[in-house]
Amino acid sequence: MAFPLMNSRQQFGWVTILIHWLVAVAVFGLFGLGLYMVELTYYDAWYNEAPHIHESIGILVLLAMFFRVAWRLVSPPPVSLPSHRPWEKAGAHVAHFGMYLLLFAVLVSGYLIPTADGSGVDVFNWFTVPSVTGQQKGLESVAGDIHYWVAWGLVILAVIHAIGAIKHHVIDRDETLRRMMGLKARPVIRPRNDSI
């Protein structure tokens, strides 16, 4: 059975699934690249290339997040599974809201770092995103601090989110993770009643 474009009340559509996993991979990749590139010196081969890649992917993720928010309004996520406890539902809502908030904070602050001198961000030589602030003294430093700490908060929250999904899959054996991976629901095995 082919997965639909849009979400239904029971399952995620392929657009939501694709955006979810692309953003997840990008966030962890950008985090690793960010930690790597701050240790580079002027004479390292990746001194200029690593920030260019980091900034370019960051802008693409920011655009993807704008689309993701709009898509969520057009195609709301499926309802919670009946097996989810009230505290799990509340925790999931808080975690999702927190990740959206932190994602936008880390992406916007990341954009403000290279544009604080008035220059734009060149995205893989495809297009340039201009500075919206112009030259602002001290902005680069403030945005850099915010970017660093929010990135750590985002990654920690994302790891907790992943642990929760694994818990649902391995311990609860429900469809939480399978729905976001585009997998069919497992068949429900009912105990046999051999009594007469």
Side-chain angles (χ1 to χ4, degrees):
M1 180 181 75
F3 269 76
L5 178 75
M6 301 183 78
N7 301 330
S8 70
R9 286 182 59 81
Q10 289 74 37
Q11 69 185 48
F12 290 100
W14 69 262
V15 172
T16 299
I17 293 170
L18 183 64
I19 295 172
H20 175 274
W21 291 110
L22 285 175
V23 169
V25 169
V27 164
F28 282 97
L30 287 171
F31 184 73
L33 180 58
L35 291 178
Y36 167 74
M37 72 186 197
V38 295
E39 300 297 326
L40 295 175
T41 66
Y42 179 78
Y43 298 102
D44 285 302
W46 279 78
Y47 180 77
N48 290 314
E49 193 64 23
H52 175 70
I53 293 171
H54 189 85
E55 293 164 8
S56 296
I57 295 175
I59 292 294
L60 295 179
V61 173
L62 181 59
L63 295 176
M65 285 304 299
F66 283 129
F67 175 80
R68 184 174 185 173
V69 170
W71 184 256
R72 189 181 176 97
L73 296 174
V74 173
S75 181
V79 295
S80 298
L81 294 173
S83 61
H84 289 173
R85 300 171 188 90
W87 67 266
E88 289 175 319
K89 294 177 186 178
H93 287 303
V94 169
H96 281 112
F97 178 78
M99 281 191 288
Y100 272 70
L101 190 66
L102 293 176
L103 262 166
F104 278 108
V106 78
L107 293 167
V108 170
S109 61
Y111 158 77
L112 292 174
I113 297 169
T115 60
D117 63 356
S119 60
V121 177
D122 181 32
V123 181
F124 290 125
N125 300 319
W126 299 338
F127 60 93
T128 300
V129 179
S131 171
V132 296
T133 62
Q135 191 168 4
Q136 297 291 328
K137 187 176 181 181
L139 177 60
E140 181 181 1
S141 177
V142 173
D145 288 341
I146 293 170
H147 188 69
Y148 177 82
W149 290 111
V150 172
W152 272 105
L154 175 61
V155 166
I156 290 168
L157 186 56
V159 168
I160 293 170
H161 173 68
I163 290 169
I166 293 167
K167 175 256 185 192
H168 277 289
H169 187 73
V170 175
I171 297 173
D172 300 337
R173 295 192 58 77
D174 65 25
E175 303 306 306
T176 302
L177 182 58
R178 293 178 67 85
R179 289 202 300 184
M180 188 46 81
M181 294 182 74
L183 300 173
K184 291 181 182 178
R186 290 178 279 210
V188 177
I189 301 173
R190 304 189 193 286
R192 288 179 56 190
N193 187 357
D194 294 329
S195 60
I196 298 174

